[in-house]
Amino acid sequence: MTKSSRRTWFTAAGTAVAGVAGLLLPVFGTAGAAQAADGGIHVSNGRVYEANGSEFVMRGVNHAHTWYPSETGAIADIAATGANTVRVVLSSGDRWTETSASEVSSIIGDCKTNKVICVLEVHDTTGYGEDGAAATLDQAADYWVGVKSDLQGQEDYVVVNIGNEPFGNSGYTAWTDATKNAIGKLRNAGIENALMVDAPNWGQDWSNTMRSNAASVFAADPHRNTIFSIHMYGVYDTAAEVQDYLNHFVNNGLPIVVGEFGDNHSDGNPDENAIMATAQSLRVGYLGWSWSGNGSGVEYLDMVNGFDAGSLTTWGNRFLNGANGISTTSTRATIYGGGDGGGDTGGTAPNGYPYCASGTASDPDGDGWGWENNRSCVVRGSAADTGSGGGDTGGTAPNGYPYCANGTASDPDGDGWGWENNRSCVVRGSAADH
C-alpha cells in the first residue's frame, strides 16, 4: 500500500489502532559505543539481558489495567498461561484517571508474586498530533518522575515503556527529539530501569521514522538501555514487511520487540504467523494485544472472554497454544528461578543458536546439540560450540532463518535451503540468502 492510503485508514481508525489506540474505553553497526547498563534488565549488543547475563526474550500479553482496575486477577491469569511478561496499561491522568503511585507499587508486586516481568506504559500519549486529547511524551515523562520511588530498586523486574504510540500520522517527525528529551528527563531524575519507546504512526512506523532514527535515540540514553517497540497491525500484512522491519534492527544491533499485535484488524489483516515465527527465529520479544476488554468493534482482539481465563477466544488459543506461541517459546526470567536449569547463563553461541539453559541435561547423546523450548540449542563448551561447522560463522539471514553451519553440505539439491538440527537453514551467499 502507499503511504497516502496508510494515512487514510489510520486517520479513520485512529482510536481503533491506539492500543489498540485507546479502544479499550468502556466503551548503523552496533548502536552506541558507551558501556551499556549492567544491572537489572539491560541491553547489550542489541539484545535484552538480565543482571546475571541471561538473555531475556519477552513473551507476553498486554493488560488494560487503566480501564479495568478491578480486574486484579488478570496478571495471575496471564502468568498461568506461561507468559514471562505482562505489559500493563497505566494513565498519567492527562486523559484518563491517573494510576496512583500505590497502584504502581501494587502492580509491580503482582508481577513479582506471579513471576513475570512488568512492562509499564503510559497510554495517554496515544496518537499525539492527530488526536487532540493525547498527552505529550514530556507529560508522560513527568508522570514517571512522579512515581520514580516505586520504580527504584525494581530494575530486575520492571521496564518503563515511556508512552504508548506517542504520535499519530500528523507531526510524527517530532518523534525523535521528543523521545530523546523524554529519555533524558527520566535519566536525569535518577530512573535507572530499562526504558522502552514506542514508534510513531499509531505505533506502526510506516514512515520509518523510528527505524531511521533509532540509533541516535539509543545513543542519547546515557545508560544505552533503551528498547524499541513496534506495533504490528494492518501495516504488517505480509511476511516480507515483518521480516524486513525486524531484521533491520537485529542486523544493526538495536534492541526491538513487537509491543502489540493481533490476528486481525479493521485497518488490515496482520500476518500474525509471520510475526510470531520471525520473532522466534530472531530471538525478538513479542507482546500480544490483549487479554480482555476490547470494545468499539475490535472485540475480536480479546484473548479471553470477559476476563475469564477458562474461556479462550480463537485469537487467544492461537496466540497461546499455536505455532511459535507462548506455551512453547516462553521462558521464565531467571530472577524468578527460570531459564537456567543446569546452571548455564544463557546467551548465543557463535553459530547463532542459543546456549542450552539446562546445559548437558538437554543433550542426552552428548553431541553438543540439545532441544529446549521447541528449538535446537548448543551446550556451552561442547563440540558444537564452535560456529564453524563447514566454515560458516553462523548468524541469521535477512529472511529470518539461521545460516547453515555446514554450508553447502546441508543443501544437497543446491537451492540454497538446507536442513540442520531439525529446522531449515540458509546457505550463505546462495539464491535463498535474501
Side-chain angles (χ1 to χ4, degrees), residues 224-414:
R224 304 298 194 269
N225 200 19
T226 296
I227 303 162
F228 297 92
S229 174
I230 183 68
H231 294 182
M232 290 187 162
Y233 294 107
V235 170
Y236 299 93
D237 53 2
T238 68
E241 289 168 316
V242 172
Q243 292 163 0
D244 178 67
Y245 197 90
L246 296 181
N247 269 294
H248 172 84
F249 281 79
V250 171
N251 292 339
N252 285 281
L254 292 162
I256 184 76
V257 301
V258 183
E260 290 184 19
F261 71 103
D263 66 338
N264 192 20
H265 205 274
S266 56
D267 64 32
N269 187 8
D271 189 340
E272 72 280 4
N273 295 324
I275 293 168
M276 297 170 76
T278 304
Q280 176 66 9
S281 177
L282 296 178
R283 307 194 324 276
V284 164
Y286 66 65
L287 306 169
W289 188 275
S290 71
W291 187 240
S292 197
N294 289 282
S296 301
V298 293
E299 290 83 357
Y300 50 78
L301 287 171
D302 284 358
M303 294 184 184
V304 299
N305 295 300
F307 289 93
D308 180 357
S311 181
L312 284 179
T313 65
T314 300
W315 165 225
N317 187 56
R318 189 271 170 269
F319 178 80
L320 297 172
N321 302 316
N324 308 114
I326 292 292
S327 64
T328 58
T329 69
S330 178
T331 300
R332 179 180 290 170
T334 62
I335 192 69
Y336 298 122
D340 57 359
D344 191 78
T345 57
T348 305
N351 61 14
Y353 285 87
Y355 283 118
C356 299
S358 298
T360 55
S362 297
D363 176 29
D365 63 358
D367 66 351
W369 289 99
W371 184 260
E372 292 178 350
N373 300 310
N374 208 36
R375 68 167 299 181
S376 296
C377 58
V378 172
V379 176
R380 190 184 295 275
S382 70
D385 189 13
T386 63
S388 59
D392 191 77
T393 57
T396 305
N399 60 14
Y401 286 86
Y403 283 119
C404 299
N406 293 310
T408 56
S410 297
D411 176 29
D413 62 359

Side-chain angles (χ1 to χ4, degrees), residues 18-347:
V20 182
L23 272 183
L24 277 159
L25 290 174
V27 174
F28 67 59
T30 301
Q35 175 66 40
D38 56 6
I41 297 171
H42 63 279
V43 172
S44 179
N45 296 320
R47 300 290 179 180
V48 178
Y49 293 89
E50 295 184 72
N52 66 359
S54 294
E55 185 173 353
F56 182 68
V57 180
M58 294 182 189
R59 289 285 180 266
V61 177
N62 283 268
H63 165 51
H65 169 83
T66 284
W67 301 292
Y68 300 99
S70 64
E71 296 294 343
T72 55
I75 290 176
D77 288 340
I78 292 168
T81 69
N84 63 23
T85 306
V86 180
R87 181 174 181 256
V88 185
V89 177
L90 310 182
S91 174
S92 59
D94 294 291
R95 185 166 185 178
W96 298 287
T97 301
E98 180 177 346
T99 307
S100 67
S102 62
E103 282 181 277
V104 171
S105 180
S106 178
I107 290 166
I108 294 171
D110 282 347
C111 285
K112 292 167 73 173
T113 296
N114 291 288
K115 300 182 178 181
V116 291
I117 298 301
C118 256
V119 175
L120 304 179
E121 60 102 341
V122 163
H123 215 77
D124 305 58
T125 55
T126 304
Y128 178 76
E130 186 171 350
D131 188 331
T136 64
L137 275 173
D138 189 61
Q139 289 171 297
D142 287 339
Y143 171 79
W144 292 118
V145 172
V147 298
K148 72 176 182 179
S149 62
D150 297 284
L151 303 173
Q152 291 172 326
Q154 305 299 330
E155 292 82 5
D156 284 332
Y157 308 97
V158 177
V159 175
V160 175
N161 191 171
I162 301 177
N164 184 69
E165 301 178 2
F167 287 86
N169 294 323
S170 300
Y172 57 83
T173 56
W175 177 88
T176 303
D177 287 341
T179 302
K180 290 178 179 178
N181 291 338
I183 291 170
K185 179 172 281 192
L186 269 61
R187 295 305 189 210
N188 289 337
I191 294 174
E192 305 290 323
N193 306 70
L195 303 179
M196 186 179 290
V197 294
D198 282 9
N201 307 129
W202 301 100
Q204 300 202 76
D205 201 29
W206 55 256
S207 64
N208 282 333
T209 299
M210 184 172 83
R211 172 173 168 156
S212 299
N213 294 283
S216 69
V217 170
F218 186 85
D221 179 356
H223 294 345
R224 304 298 194 269
N225 200 19
T226 296
I227 303 162
F228 297 92
S229 174
I230 183 68
H231 294 182
M232 290 187 162
Y233 294 107
V235 170
Y236 299 93
D237 53 2
T238 68
E241 289 168 316
V242 172
Q243 292 163 0
D244 178 67
Y245 197 90
L246 296 181
N247 269 294
H248 172 84
F249 281 79
V250 171
N251 292 339
N252 285 281
L254 292 162
I256 184 76
V257 301
V258 183
E260 290 184 19
F261 71 103
D263 66 338
N264 192 20
H265 205 274
S266 56
D267 64 32
N269 187 8
D271 189 340
E272 72 280 4
N273 295 324
I275 293 168
M276 297 170 76
T278 304
Q280 176 66 9
S281 177
L282 296 178
R283 307 194 324 276
V284 164
Y286 66 65
L287 306 169
W289 188 275
S290 71
W291 187 240
S292 197
N294 289 282
S296 301
V298 293
E299 290 83 357
Y300 50 78
L301 287 171
D302 284 358
M303 294 184 184
V304 299
N305 295 300
F307 289 93
D308 180 357
S311 181
L312 284 179
T313 65
T314 300
W315 165 225
N317 187 56
R318 189 271 170 269
F319 178 80
L320 297 172
N321 302 316
N324 308 114
I326 292 292
S327 64
T328 58
T329 69
S330 178
T331 300
R332 179 180 290 170
T334 62
I335 192 69
Y336 298 122
D340 57 359
D344 191 78
T345 57

